[in-house]
Amino acid sequence: MIIKKYVASSMKEALSKIGKELGKDAVIISQRAIRKPGIKGLFSPKVVEITAAVESKSNDLSWDDKEINSKSILPVDIVKNDELELRQEVETMKSLINSYFSTQSNNSINEEIKLEELDNKNKEESELQQEKASNSDIYFKEVKERLRELDISKDIVEELLETIKINIQVSSIDEIMNGIKEELGATIKIDSSEINGTIALVGPTGVGKTTTIAKLAGDLALVKKKKVGLITVDTYRIGAVEQLKTYADIMNIDFKVVFSLAEMEEAINSMKECDVILLDTTGRSSKNTMQVLELKAFLDRAKVDNAYLVVSATTKSGDMDIIANGFSNIKYKGLVLTKLDETSTYGSILNICRRTQVPIKFITVGQNVPDDIKVPLEDEIIKLVLGENSIC
Ligand SMILES: Nc1nc2c(ncn2[C@@H]2O[C@H](COP(=O)(O)OP(=O)(O)OP(=O)(O)O)[C@@H](O)[C@H]2O)c(=O)[nH]1
Ligand SMILES: [Mg+2]
């Protein structure tokens, strides 16, 4: 017996093959519609697989076309079943495809909504940032104008605001002002230590050096009961000697006038017993280097422990720079700020502190000897500089 399997695209083609190969006596054992193997088979039409058998191959003629057509061995049913199956599969695929696309489109709608929301959020944030930036620009501009009105020099104002712009995110003028206060705290320092040894006051003309010496002498001798000596090298101005001598007489203090370097040494030696020697000097123009160097020679001969630069708070910011520079040959250790009662803007104090980098030793607030002098508080000076306080 011969048993053979045939695969053809249609029943007719299969039967034709069987007829030709196995002859008229061939019988069909089984038949089914199958797909070609592999992924490609999924997308190609089904084929017919027929298993046929024959006792032995006869020489009879194979089936002719008529016979093939008459062999109603279920091919029609198969086709019908195939069609049905195919339809069902197509329907399943259709619904799968539809559901896939509807999910896809739902997803893409959701994505779009999300993107739009994100876009809106970003827009809002950038608008907020822009608004903040433009507001902070306004605040900075306003503070800049305010500081300039207080006579703080332009470059210091710029420097201060730049530092604050870098270090803090501002949303109000108060925040900028607080930042500035912190910065000023680092610049404005107070030296509240007691004065001892030989002390000299130097500075431009008419700022209040002699008056301050008298105030200090009064406080040290009358209040603190220290032994005080007074020396003046101010021999240029008419009445200068008499001015200090009068105070010395009233307070019963040792007083010497010095005209030369040799006399300076002598005067200092004669006051060895004093706790404090106060040295009054001639007012010098900070622009005159020779005068300042001559003054330095006197101070060196006196072996001064500490020299203080006396400046009036009424001095313009720009002039403070010139003074700080002009007296730089004298290594002053601190500042005496005078006439704070005569002005209402104190920006120039910041200028002199910034340029000299030395602490404030005293401030004077009037002509009364010895009362109108004091060691200030840091906060007090910062408030004055920023126009938040005034000297009445
Ligand atoms: N309002 C006010 N006036 C002051 C103060 N200190 C000094 N003066 C006055 O400023 C004027 C000059 O003071 P002086 O002490 O002579 O100044 P100086 O620095 O010694 O002057 P020269 O020796 O000429 O360089 C005087 O009329 C003082 O009374 C102060 O704190 N406030
Ligand atoms: Mg004087």
Side-chain angles (χ1 to χ4, degrees):
M1 173 171 282
I2 301 164
I3 300 170
K4 218 172 167 185
K5 203 180 262 181
Y6 293 88
V7 176
S9 54
S10 68
M11 180 57 84
K12 193 177 172 185
E13 190 190 321
L15 290 177
S16 162
K17 277 185 186 174
I18 295 165
K20 273 176 195 159
E21 284 186 26
L22 302 182
K24 269 187 171 180
D25 297 331
V27 289
I28 289 163
I29 299 170
S30 74
Q31 58 189 7
R32 60 184 182 136
I34 57 159
R35 289 198 191 279
K36 280 183 187 166
I39 294 175
K40 275 185 184 171
L42 279 173
F43 301 99
S44 57
K46 280 186 175 177
V47 290
V48 183
E49 185 195 86
I50 293 177
T51 310
V54 67
E55 202 60 43
S56 61
K57 197 178 172 189
S58 71
N59 291 329
D60 290 348
L61 286 172
S62 59
W63 295 325
D64 56 23
D65 280 352
K66 218 170 149 191
E67 275 170 312
I68 288 167
N69 286 337
S70 72
K71 276 201 176 283
S72 53
I73 326 150
L74 300 174
V76 178
D77 291 345
I78 287 171
V79 172
K80 272 186 183 166
N81 282 344
D82 274 1
E83 250 182 49
L84 207 66
E85 243 179 78
L86 263 171
R87 279 217 182 101
Q88 277 171 351
E89 275 178 25
V90 168
E91 286 308 317
T92 317
M93 277 178 83
K94 256 188 190 172
S95 70
L96 271 173
I97 289 167
N98 282 343
S99 77
Y100 170 78
F101 278 113
S102 79
T103 337
Q104 281 294 95
S105 76
N106 278 346
N107 282 348
S108 68
I109 287 168
N110 286 342
E111 281 295 306
E112 264 174 42
I113 291 169
K114 271 188 198 160
L115 277 174
E116 207 175 298
E117 278 172 1
L118 202 69
D119 208 29
N120 286 341
K121 209 175 155 198
N122 285 344
K123 254 187 213 161
E124 273 171 30
E125 266 173 23
S126 89
E127 273 170 18
L128 206 71
Q129 288 295 340
Q130 269 176 5
E131 200 181 321
K132 267 190 184 174
S134 65
N135 277 348
S136 86
D137 281 350
I138 294 168
Y139 302 147
F140 273 109
K141 200 169 165 244
E142 206 170 312
V143 171
K144 192 175 178 174
E145 279 165 18
R146 214 190 267 186
L147 296 182
R148 290 293 287 131
E149 277 167 19
L150 294 166
D151 196 28
I152 299 173
S153 77
K154 201 176 164 204
D155 55 332
I156 291 182
V157 171
E158 304 272 337
E159 223 176 279
L160 277 173
L161 296 184
E162 276 312 309
T163 319
I164 288 160
K165 268 183 199 170
I166 294 165
N167 291 334
I168 54 169
Q169 191 106 51
V170 298
S171 52
S172 72
I173 288 183
D174 282 350
E175 270 176 8
I176 303 178
M177 292 310 285
N178 287 339
I180 287 174
K181 273 184 198 162
E182 268 181 41
E183 283 298 308
L184 296 200
T187 309
I188 296 170
K189 294 284 171 212
I190 311 294
D191 175 4
S192 54
S193 64
E194 252 190 38
I195 54 170
N196 274 308
T198 306
I199 306 298
L201 297 192
V202 299
T205 52
V207 291
K209 294 180 295 298
T210 307
T211 314
T212 304
I213 290 267
K215 287 173 182 172
L216 286 175
D219 179 58
L220 290 163
L222 306 177
V223 182
K224 295 193 171 112
K225 307 288 181 204
K226 292 206 174 192
K227 193 162 169 46
V228 179
L230 287 184
I231 297 176
T232 183
V233 284
D234 188 350
T235 55
Y236 291 78
R237 197 166 58 81
I238 299 162
V241 174
E242 283 67 30
Q243 189 187 356
L244 201 55
K245 191 174 183 307
T246 312
Y247 288 123
D249 287 346
I250 296 168
M251 292 183 247
N252 199 20
I253 288 173
D254 272 1
F255 176 69
K256 290 263 178 323
V257 183
V258 162
F259 293 92
S260 67
L261 293 175
E263 282 177 3
M264 174 60 89
E265 212 169 325
E266 222 173 88
I268 294 284
N269 285 337
S270 73
M271 292 182 179
K272 266 188 185 151
E273 304 303 313
C274 291
D275 300 313
V276 184
I277 300 172
L278 299 172
L279 217 80
D280 189 18
T281 64
T282 314
R284 299 297 193 186
S285 160
S286 43
K287 289 181 189 168
N288 192 327
T289 317
M290 280 310 291
Q291 281 186 0
V292 175
L293 287 176
E294 189 193 5
L295 181 62
K296 184 180 183 302
F298 274 98
L299 265 52
D300 287 347
R301 190 59 71 93
K303 294 196 176 70
V304 161
D305 293 303
N306 283 318
Y308 299 118
L309 177 64
V310 185
V311 285
S312 165
T314 58
T315 312
K316 284 184 286 176
S317 265
D319 292 341
M320 286 292 199
D321 291 349
I322 299 168
I323 295 167
N325 223 14
F327 283 90
S328 61
N329 279 322
I330 293 167
K331 304 284 177 230
Y332 46 82
K333 302 264 179 60
L335 299 170
V336 177
L337 307 172
T338 60
K339 307 191 183 185
L340 267 74
D341 54 308
E342 282 193 2
T343 181
S344 52
T345 54
Y346 300 91
S348 63
I349 292 180
L350 178 61
N351 266 44
I352 194 80
C353 289
R354 192 101 164 177
R355 301 288 174 231
T356 58
Q357 300 280 314
V358 294
I360 298 170
K361 189 72 193 163
F362 301 105
I363 58 167
T364 74
V365 291
Q367 292 175 296
N368 295 323
V369 177
D371 294 335
D372 293 339
I373 185 164
K374 68 172 186 169
V375 179
L377 295 173
E378 187 183 297
D379 193 48
E380 191 180 350
I381 298 293
I382 291 175
K383 282 185 175 156
L384 282 175
V385 168
L386 297 179
E388 292 178 2
N389 212 349
S390 65
I391 303 274
C392 303

